[in-house]
Amino acid sequence: MRIKGTFIHQLKTGENALILLAASKTEQDKLYQHLAVDAYQFKKELVEEEPRIELISAGYKNENNEVTWNEEYIPVPKWYEQN
C-alpha cells in the first residue's frame, strides 16, 4: 500500500483526525483494516511526533478528484500513555 496524501480533518467535537489517502477504494479498505488491526508502531510514533492527532482513518480521491474517507475513526494512543 502506498499513501498518496494526507490531511487533518477536525471533527465537530474538536478532535483532530489524520486521514491517509490511498490510491483507490480497494486500497482504502486495505489501509483502514491495517490501521485498525495492526500499525501499533505507526500510531505510537504518530502520537509522539504529533500529539494533537487523536484519531486516524483512510480515504481516497475518486475519479472526480473528490476525497472520501471512512468516518469510523480509529483512536491513537494518548501521548501520556506512552510514558
Side-chain angles (χ1 to χ4, degrees):
M1 282 174 281
R2 294 189 66 181
I3 304 299
K4 305 294 267 182
T6 64
F7 69 95
I8 297 174
H9 174 69
Q10 187 172 49
L11 281 67
K12 292 178 182 176
T13 61
E15 294 175 297
N16 291 311
L18 176 65
I19 311 300
L20 305 175
L21 299 177
S24 66
K25 172 67 173 146
T26 302
E27 288 295 310
Q28 173 205 342
D29 293 339
K30 289 179 187 177
L31 177 58
Y32 182 86
Q33 183 65 24
H34 179 69
L35 292 169
V37 175
D38 299 318
Y40 177 77
Q41 186 63 32
F42 169 76
K43 291 184 268 191
K44 182 180 175 189
E45 290 174 12
L46 173 64
V47 75
E48 289 172 358
E49 297 297 322
E50 191 57 63
R52 67 187 180 115
I53 300 296
E54 292 101 355
L55 306 162
I56 55 174
S57 191
Y60 73 104
K61 285 185 180 180
N62 65 20
E63 59 277 350
N64 298 323
N65 213 29
E66 299 167 331
V67 177
T68 304
W69 65 91
N70 189 324
E71 293 185 9
E72 293 181 32
Y73 300 102
I74 302 163
V76 295
K78 304 292 184 225
W79 66 268
Y80 50 80
E81 295 174 350
Q82 301 304 310
N83 298 324

